[in-house]
Amino acid sequence: MTDRLVLVINCGSSSLKFALRSESARQPLLSGLAERLGTAEGVMNWKAGDAGEQVQLPDGRHSSAMASLLPLIARFAQQPLTAVGHRVVHGGEHFTGARVIDDEVIAAIEDSSPLAPLHNPAQLTGINEAMTVFTDIPHIAIFDTAFHQSMPAHAYRYALPEELYTKHSVRRYGFHGTSHRFVSTQASLLMGMEPGHGAWLTAHLGNGCSTCAILDGRSLDTSMGMTPLEGLVMGTRSGDVDPNLHSHLARTLGWDLERIDHMLNRESGLLGLSGLSNDMRTLVAARAEGHAGATLAVEVFCYRLARSLAGLAVALPRIDGVIFTGGIGENSPLVRELTVRHLALFGLAIDPAANATPPGNPARQIQADNSPAILVIPTDEERQITEECLALLDLAATQPVEQEA
Ligand code: AMP
C-alpha cells in the first residue's frame, strides 16, 4: 500500500495550525502556523525538515492562509493528499468518533457552537476554506469531546435540574480526548499489553490541563466539564471554584459576567496564584530562587492534580499506570515528583533517577520498584488525528459509514 498523506488542520479565530503527516513517518513532512489572522499583520511560519520560511499574509484572511498551503503541499508531498483532518473542539453529544464532513456534520458542529463559542465557529471557517481549496478528497472532523462520550451518566451529569440537560445540553463533555486516547494506546504498547487495553489514569498537562480515567480504550471520567474551565489548575484558567463565586463577586464587587469570565479564564491558574507567569518553566525557575508566589502556584497545581487523579481512580477496577503528558507532564520532573508524593496511598512512588532523565526522551517508565507503573509519554495529537482519519476511510471502504449525528 502507498504511504497515505493527511493534512491536519486546527483553525482558531486568529490562527491556523497545520501539519502534513504520512501514514508511516513519526515526524510531520511539513508543519506550520499562520497567526494574527484578521489583522494586517497576518504571518505564516512553516518548516519542512531543514527548510522553512516566514510568509506575510497582508490581507490577514483565513482563505489566503489556506491557499498558501497549496504550493507548499505540492512541494513537499510525494503524492496527492488522501484526506484533510480537522480538529473540532466541541461535538456535543452528536459524535463518538471521527466523521466525514457533510452538511449534516456541519449542522451538528453549528448546533454545538453555543457550548464552544470561541472555537467551533472558527473551526467551521477553517473547514469551509479548506473544502474550497482541497477539493475532491474527504474532509474529516475529529472532535476533542468524542473520546469522552463513553462516560456513564453518573460521571457526565451535573446535579442540576434535569431540564438543563435535556433541553439545554448542560452536562460534562470533557476535552483533550485525542491526547488522552493517544497516550493510553501508547502506554499499552510500552507495557507489552494488547494495544488499547489497560486501566490508566492520564494527565495531559499543557497550557490547558485535564485528567482522564481510561479502561480498555474507553474514557470513564475526566476532569474537564461542559467547558474546558472545569477541573485542574491551568496556565491562566482557575479550574474548579465554588460556583457561588460568581454571585459573590457580582454582589460584593459589582462585576458583570464578562469580567468574571475573563478573570477565571485569563487571569487565574498559575498566573493568578504566582502573580508572575502562566509558564511552568518560569515558575519552576523562580521557585528555585525562593519566589513565594511561584512556590505556592506549583504546590497548588500538583496537589490539585493529585487530588483529581485520586478521585478518578474510583472509575477504574485497578491502576495499570499513571501517565504524564503535555508540555509540563513530559518535561517537568518536579511536577511529576510533587504530584506523585501526594499519591502514596495508592502505592505510587517515583524512581528519582528515571524521573530526572533529560526531556526529549521517548516514552519511558519512571516508577520505583514495587510501584504501579508511572509513565512519561509524549503526546502526538496530529498523529492520532491522522490515524483516526485513515481508520475511518478504511472502514468506509469495507462498509457504509454509520450516520449518527
Ligand atoms: P503545551 O501546551 O503542551 O505546549 O505545554 C505548555 C506548558 O509546558 C507551559 O506551561 C510550559 O512552561 C511547559 N513546559 C515546557 N517545557 C517545560 C519544562 N522543561 N519544564 C517545565 N515546564 C515546561
Side-chain angles (χ1 to χ4, degrees), residues 289-307:
E289 309 264 294
H291 189 286
T295 305
L296 179 69
V298 173
E299 279 171 4
V300 175
F301 182 92
C302 295
Y303 175 72
R304 291 265 298 266
L305 169 59
R307 199 176 68 163

Side-chain angles (χ1 to χ4, degrees), residues 199-201 309-310 313 316-322 346 348 372-373:
W200 309 106
L201 291 172
L309 291 167
L316 298 175
R318 61 182 191 281
I319 299 174
D320 289 330
V322 176
F346 295 87
L348 287 157

Side-chain angles (χ1 to χ4, degrees), residues 162-229:
E162 189 185 17
E163 224 180 66
L164 285 175
Y165 169 57
T166 51
K167 295 205 176 136
H168 303 286
S169 307
V170 175
R171 52 158 283 183
R172 307 182 64 250
Y173 291 95
F175 300 86
H176 294 143
T178 309
S179 178
H180 289 297
R181 191 199 297 259
F182 179 79
V183 296
S184 61
T185 307
Q186 295 299 310
S188 60
L189 297 174
L190 187 67
M191 301 298 288
M193 301 163 81
E194 210 177 310
H197 278 233
W200 309 106
L201 291 172
T202 53
H204 174 100
L205 310 174
N207 281 318
C209 301
S210 69
T211 48
C212 187
I214 301 167
L215 182 63
D216 296 338
R218 291 166 61 79
S219 167
L220 296 183
D221 200 355
T222 188
S223 60
M224 283 179 166
M226 185 177 84
T227 75
L229 183 59

Side-chain angles (χ1 to χ4, degrees), residues 112-125:
S112 303
S113 287
L115 295 166
L118 296 179
H119 293 101
N120 275 26
Q123 285 154 359
L124 278 170
T125 304

Side-chain angles (χ1 to χ4, degrees), residues 204-208 270 278-282 284 326-328 331-332 359:
H204 174 100
L205 310 174
N207 281 318
L270 293 173
N278 64 335
D279 193 298
M280 185 58 90
R281 252 171 312 202
T282 307
V284 169
I328 300 172
N331 297 309
S332 177

Side-chain angles (χ1 to χ4, degrees), residues 63-402:
S63 54
S64 308
M66 201 68 77
S68 62
L69 293 184
L70 262 180
L72 286 176
I73 288 168
R75 186 167 151 196
F76 293 106
Q78 313 297 323
Q79 60 207 2
L81 287 180
T82 305
V84 181
H86 295 267
R87 178 185 174 212
V88 181
V89 164
H90 220 306
E93 287 189 329
H94 298 288
F95 305 103
T96 57
R99 285 288 304 274
V100 174
I101 299 172
D102 56 16
D103 290 347
E104 207 181 340
V105 171
I106 288 182
I109 298 173
E110 275 165 0
D111 185 55
S112 303
S113 287
L115 295 166
L118 296 179
H119 293 101
N120 275 26
Q123 285 154 359
L124 278 170
T125 304
I127 289 169
N128 285 328
E129 299 297 351
M131 286 180 125
T132 310
V133 172
F134 301 99
T135 50
D136 301 326
I137 51 170
H139 287 248
I140 295 170
I142 311 287
F143 300 89
D144 277 19
T145 48
F147 181 55
H148 303 296
Q149 280 296 301
S150 49
M151 286 195 289
H154 64 247
Y156 73 69
R157 283 291 296 275
Y158 291 114
L160 296 171
E162 189 185 17
E163 224 180 66
L164 285 175
Y165 169 57
T166 51
K167 295 205 176 136
H168 303 286
S169 307
V170 175
R171 52 158 283 183
R172 307 182 64 250
Y173 291 95
F175 300 86
H176 294 143
T178 309
S179 178
H180 289 297
R181 191 199 297 259
F182 179 79
V183 296
S184 61
T185 307
Q186 295 299 310
S188 60
L189 297 174
L190 187 67
M191 301 298 288
M193 301 163 81
E194 210 177 310
H197 278 233
W200 309 106
L201 291 172
T202 53
H204 174 100
L205 310 174
N207 281 318
C209 301
S210 69
T211 48
C212 187
I214 301 167
L215 182 63
D216 296 338
R218 291 166 61 79
S219 167
L220 296 183
D221 200 355
T222 188
S223 60
M224 283 179 166
M226 185 177 84
T227 75
L229 183 59
E230 189 176 328
L232 304 179
V233 173
M234 308 180 215
T236 60
R237 283 175 249 167
S238 63
D240 292 340
V241 292
D242 186 330
N244 268 337
L245 178 65
H246 293 70
S247 51
H248 175 77
L249 294 177
R251 265 191 242 108
T252 57
L253 302 179
W255 288 16
D256 61 16
L257 285 179
E258 206 168 316
R259 175 134 192 223
I260 297 170
D261 265 4
H262 190 269
M263 180 273 292
L264 292 173
N265 282 285
R266 306 261 175 223
E267 299 170 351
S268 300
L270 293 173
L271 175 65
L273 275 167
S274 68
L276 181 68
S277 172
N278 64 335
D279 193 298
M280 185 58 90
R281 252 171 312 202
T282 307
L283 298 182
V284 169
R287 175 184 177 274
E289 309 264 294
H291 189 286
T295 305
L296 179 69
V298 173
E299 279 171 4
V300 175
F301 182 92
C302 295
Y303 175 72
R304 291 265 298 266
L305 169 59
R307 199 176 68 163
S308 174
L309 291 167
L312 288 183
V314 302
L316 298 175
R318 61 182 191 281
I319 299 174
D320 289 330
V322 176
I323 304 167
F324 288 91
T325 193
I328 300 172
E330 292 164 33
N331 297 309
S332 177
L334 178 72
V335 166
R336 296 191 297 257
E337 182 197 324
L338 295 181
T339 303
V340 172
R341 260 194 221 167
H342 291 299
L343 295 167
L345 182 66
F346 295 87
L348 287 157
I350 271 186
D351 176 274
N355 189 35
T357 312
N361 276 12
R364 65 191 191 276
Q365 302 185 40
I366 59 166
Q367 74 277 5
D369 292 346
N370 302 324
S371 162
I374 304 173
L375 308 172
V376 179
I377 299 189
T379 195
D380 189 342
E381 289 165 279
E382 287 154 4
R383 185 167 151 209
Q384 179 69 32
I385 288 175
T386 301
E387 284 175 8
E388 288 186 37
C389 286
L390 295 175
L392 181 68
L393 295 178
D394 289 341
L395 187 70
T398 54
Q399 63 189 70
V401 180
E402 189 109 333

